[in-house]
Amino acid sequence: MRIAVDAMGGDHGPSVIVNGALEGARASGCELILVGRTPEIEQVLPTPMPPDIAVEIIHAPDVIDMEEHPAQAARRKPGSSINIALGQLKEHRADAMVSAGNSGAVMAAALMILGRIDGIDRPAIAAFLPTLYARTLMLDLGAVTDPKPHHLVQFARMGAIYARLVLQTDTPKVGLLSNGEEPTKGNHLIQEVFPLLAIEPAINFVGNIEGKDILRGVVDVLVADGFTGNVAIKVAEGTASMLTDVLREEMTRSWPRKLAALALKPAFQSMKRRLDYAEIGGAPLLGVNGEVLIAHGRSNERAIANAVIGARKVAEEAVREAIRQTASAN
Amino acid sequence: MRIAVDAMGGDHGPSVIVNGALEGARASGCELILVGRTPEIEQVLPTPMPPDIAVEIIHAPDVIDMEEHPAQAARRKPGSSINIALGQLKEHRADAMVSAGNSGAVMAAALMILGRIDGIDRPAIAAFLPTLYARTLMLDLGAVTDPKPHHLVQFARMGAIYARLVLQTDTPKVGLLSNGEEPTKGNHLIQEVFPLLAIEPAINFVGNIEGKDILRGVVDVLVADGFTGNVAIKVAEGTASMLTDVLREEMTRSWPRKLAALALKPAFQSMKRRLDYAEIGGAPLLGVNGEVLIAHGRSNERAIANAVIGARKVAEEAVREAIRQTASAN
């Protein structure tokens, strides 16, 4: 199994990506293709190279920045690490691809280079929500901001397949993000999608899920339109970060508080770990003709390692082939 | 100034509402009309009555439950405390109305009994977000799940007037909830609304606001479609509650942790206070022909007291008249 890794993506530079990828490759026993500017990659590779990992470097002269316009960058920079890593997939030189780069650009380049799976009209960006006791795969997070009802049905099918194969949940529960639990709640789109999901034979649809419950782990797959899904996941992120800020401010106001907070450090760390995206690794881009995992831009080594391990699993379980079969049957 | 209070609304029963209302009336120097089942209200009134507060009880035989279908309940229960309290407004016997009951029913009954302000096509439910250092008025939170672009422009105008008069912010900053900051981001609706707000002379439009920033207090007024607004505020609520749960679990795992947590109690309380909806009180229903404040169902006495104080202020500042003038000028 060979995993192509975009060595230039992410906020922390190639060193974090390369070392994380090596860790993931060692843990999962796969080969690595590191894609990016060769000198920068070679500079951060350990010397001597660990003998137990097969690493190939593929040179990519360009880098797509986080701020660039995704579709334009993907088109105008064929020599970017994202495009060239996806090319490795396209040419069957790699079984899966991981990038912590500009997620919109990964998506646009994947569409351009790999294309869609037959029967899937629009791909979706998914992510794992750090819920209290379980994982919830939420999709779409911004790929399709004005979806049609049948797009959301396709998202539900893809999400259920992913949860079944990768999370190994037998009959994954699928929910629909809405402004109330009752079937009559929702905007026009959600009200149209609800009955379609309810009659979908391959899906264990449990109904509408309200915003307050998305982190409770009540479903395995949470379907949303890309606009609302994007707002929801960012509100969750922003709320967590604001609460952490307030907590930190309050805990450091006086010496007694600082001391007590020090004693609670293990509790805070354990809390952080339970909610940490790094434990989760990459989020799949579902519906494109290739196994693509997008890692958070903030990814540390551990997150990249987990994304590589996840990519291996996605390739092994042949998620894309299962999606293709389901899509062509519908 | 006379404030009508729905004594039957809220999760904690009439005692909390009545005592909170008395506290608010005393603090703001207004008269109270308590609306609900007379015997239940009389039972929780202090004896003897405080001599400094004028209280009238208006009997309402019915109660609308939190679970009832809002529009149906409002139509079928003319004798509910919500409907009768709104009737007091309609008949100019009260200057403002406060309810911690079924917010959908308050909205439906207000539309039915008070009607819309001329020039406002759809009213909006607003709420204050508990941001880190300031307050942000967010609207709509579910009144209009499929708005047209001009509805959102009207929401922006109403929100700006409210922020100017009640929060006393000189030129309130208005933002639009979207999936990215750039003007090109958003679904079709948001992309249409952006340029309309940008050219709106009476509004200090600062652009799109992402989900991660809604609690940062970067704007005074945050405009959203009712569907996304509802999901966003509930995700924030759910995230905060999940984090609190995880924190509590981690803090009580061992005796040393429990002791340290005890020492930090003032810090936690101060954090809670900073984010507490009870400090904020009621959220206005904007666009109906009367000053209506909706308090959270979970409201404690302090929240109800603050809602009554807020209602007095709303009535005093003649928010509705200002909205009417702006609406008729557009």
Side-chain angles (χ1 to χ4, degrees):
Chain A
M1 204 69 82
R2 287 162 66 90
I3 313 293
V5 175
D6 165 18
M8 312 307 284
D11 301 343
H12 304 308
S15 157
V16 163
I17 306 287
V18 168
N19 285 305
L22 288 172
E23 193 187 317
R26 184 178 295 114
S28 64
C30 64
E31 296 169 32
L32 277 187
I33 304 176
L34 297 173
V35 184
R37 293 185 180 131
T38 308
E40 293 183 38
I41 295 175
E42 280 172 344
Q43 207 182 345
V44 297
L45 274 175
T47 42
M49 274 293 292
D52 55 337
I53 312 175
V55 177
E56 183 184 356
I57 299 174
I58 301 271
H59 183 65
D62 278 339
V63 174
I64 296 177
D65 290 331
M66 285 304 202
E67 292 71 32
E68 286 188 73
H69 186 284
Q72 282 176 10
R75 256 196 324 273
R76 291 182 191 165
K77 289 189 170 173
S80 72
S81 55
I82 289 174
N83 291 47
I84 291 189
L86 288 166
Q88 295 292 306
L89 262 189
K90 169 81 175 174
E91 294 157 22
H92 304 290
R93 297 199 66 248
D95 301 291
M97 182 268 198
V98 171
S99 175
N102 183 323
S103 60
V106 174
M107 154 111 186
L111 265 176
M112 195 173 71
I113 295 166
L114 306 171
R116 286 180 280 111
I117 295 175
D118 281 343
I120 297 294
D121 296 302
R122 303 292 295 271
I125 298 176
F128 287 104
L129 301 175
T131 72
L132 201 41
Y133 301 108
R135 287 186 191 178
T136 293
L137 182 76
M138 181 167 172
L139 76 171
D140 168 46
L141 299 176
V144 195
T145 48
D146 286 283
K148 303 282 176 217
H150 73 277
H151 295 144
L152 293 197
V153 175
Q154 291 177 356
F155 294 173
R157 284 185 201 132
M158 293 195 291
I161 289 169
Y162 194 90
R164 190 160 48 78
L165 295 178
V166 178
L167 303 184
Q168 277 153 349
T169 316
D170 259 352
T171 44
K173 291 185 210 153
V174 177
L176 186 60
L177 184 61
S178 189
N179 63 330
E181 289 184 358
E182 305 84 351
T184 52
K185 286 291 177 110
N187 54 17
H188 293 329
L189 172 71
I190 297 304
Q191 287 179 17
E192 277 187 66
V193 173
F194 190 103
L196 296 176
L197 289 181
I199 58 164
E200 182 73 15
I203 288 174
N204 176 19
F205 180 53
V206 299
N208 285 336
I209 304 294
E210 287 192 82
K212 70 181 168 57
D213 295 322
I214 70 169
L215 298 185
R216 296 256 150 216
V218 289
V219 290
D220 303 295
V221 178
L222 181 60
V223 176
D225 69 276
F227 181 78
T228 313
N230 184 285
V231 168
I233 198 165
K234 286 183 185 162
V235 167
E237 206 178 305
T239 306
S241 131
M242 187 199 63
L243 282 172
T244 313
D245 288 356
V246 176
L247 199 61
R248 189 176 299 121
E249 267 189 39
E250 293 295 341
M251 301 262 175
T252 51
R253 281 219 173 156
S254 66
W255 275 106
R257 285 193 187 178
K258 280 187 200 171
L259 278 174
L262 203 64
L264 280 174
K265 216 174 169 189
F268 290 128
Q269 278 168 341
S270 164
M271 169 180 167
K272 211 179 146 215
R273 206 160 42 241
R274 283 171 67 180
L275 301 172
D276 197 359
Y277 70 95
E279 301 296 320
I280 288 170
L285 181 60
L286 291 174
V288 295
N289 242 327
E291 318 290 8
V292 178
L293 265 85
I294 299 176
H296 204 295
R298 287 203 316 262
S299 287
N300 54 20
E301 288 185 19
R302 188 177 180 81
I304 298 295
N306 281 329
V308 167
I309 295 167
R312 198 211 142 100
K313 182 140 188 75
V314 169
E316 222 167 49
E317 297 292 345
V319 171
R320 177 169 45 120
E321 178 53 23
I323 290 176
R324 199 192 56 72
Q325 284 179 13
T326 308
S328 67
N330 276 280
Chain B
M1 204 68 81
R2 287 162 65 91
I3 313 293
V5 175
D6 165 17
M8 313 306 284
D11 301 344
H12 303 309
S15 157
V16 163
I17 306 287
V18 168
N19 285 305
L22 288 172
E23 193 188 316
R26 184 178 294 115
S28 65
C30 63
E31 296 169 33
L32 278 187
I33 304 176
L34 297 173
V35 184
R37 294 186 179 129
T38 309
E40 294 184 37
I41 295 175
E42 279 172 345
Q43 207 183 345
V44 297
L45 275 175
T47 42
M49 273 292 293
D52 55 336
I53 311 175
V55 177
E56 183 184 357
I57 299 174
I58 301 271
H59 184 65
D62 277 339
V63 173
I64 295 177
D65 290 332
M66 286 304 204
E67 291 71 32
E68 286 188 72
H69 186 283
Q72 282 177 9
R75 255 196 324 274
R76 292 181 191 165
K77 288 189 170 172
S80 72
S81 55
I82 290 173
N83 291 46
I84 290 188
L86 288 165
Q88 296 291 305
L89 262 189
K90 169 81 174 173
E91 294 157 22
H92 304 291
R93 298 198 68 248
D95 301 292
M97 181 269 199
V98 170
S99 175
N102 182 323
S103 61
V106 174
M107 154 111 185
L111 266 175
M112 194 172 72
I113 294 166
L114 307 171
R116 286 180 280 111
I117 295 174
D118 281 342
I120 298 294
D121 296 302
R122 303 292 295 270
I125 298 176
F128 287 105
L129 301 175
T131 72
L132 202 41
Y133 301 109
R135 288 185 191 179
T136 293
L137 183 75
M138 181 167 173
L139 76 170
D140 169 45
L141 299 176
V144 194
T145 48
D146 286 282
K148 304 283 176 216
H150 74 277
H151 294 144
L152 293 196
V153 174
Q154 291 178 356
F155 294 173
R157 284 186 201 133
M158 293 195 291
I161 290 168
Y162 195 90
R164 190 160 48 77
L165 295 179
V166 178
L167 303 184
Q168 277 153 348
T169 316
D170 258 353
T171 46
K173 291 185 211 155
V174 177
L176 186 60
L177 183 61
S178 189
N179 63 331
E181 288 184 358
E182 305 85 349
T184 53
K185 286 291 175 110
N187 53 17
H188 293 329
L189 172 71
I190 297 304
Q191 287 179 15
E192 276 187 68
V193 173
F194 190 103
L196 296 178
L197 289 181
I199 59 165
E200 182 73 15
I203 287 175
N204 176 18
F205 180 53
V206 299
N208 285 336
I209 304 295
E210 287 191 81
K212 69 182 170 55
D213 295 322
I214 70 169
L215 298 185
R216 297 256 149 217
V218 289
V219 290
D220 303 295
V221 179
L222 181 60
V223 176
D225 68 275
F227 181 78
T228 313
N230 183 285
V231 168
I233 199 165
K234 285 183 185 162
V235 168
E237 206 178 305
T239 306
S241 131
M242 188 199 64
L243 283 173
T244 313
D245 288 357
V246 176
L247 199 60
R248 189 177 299 121
E249 267 188 40
E250 293 295 339
M251 300 261 172
T252 51
R253 280 219 173 155
S254 66
W255 274 105
R257 285 193 187 178
K258 279 187 201 173
L259 278 174
L262 202 64
L264 279 175
K265 216 171 169 192
F268 290 128
Q269 278 168 341
S270 164
M271 169 182 169
K272 211 179 146 215
R273 205 159 43 239
R274 284 172 67 181
L275 301 171
D276 197 358
Y277 70 95
E279 300 296 320
I280 289 170
L285 179 62
L286 291 174
V288 295
N289 243 327
E291 319 290 8
V292 178
L293 265 86
I294 299 176
H296 204 295
R298 287 203 315 262
S299 287
N300 55 19
E301 288 185 19
R302 188 177 180 81
I304 297 295
N306 281 328
V308 168
I309 296 167
R312 198 211 141 100
K313 184 143 186 71
V314 169
E316 221 167 49
E317 297 292 346
V319 171
R320 177 169 45 120
E321 178 53 24
I323 290 176
R324 198 192 56 71
Q325 284 179 13
T326 308
S328 67
N330 277 282

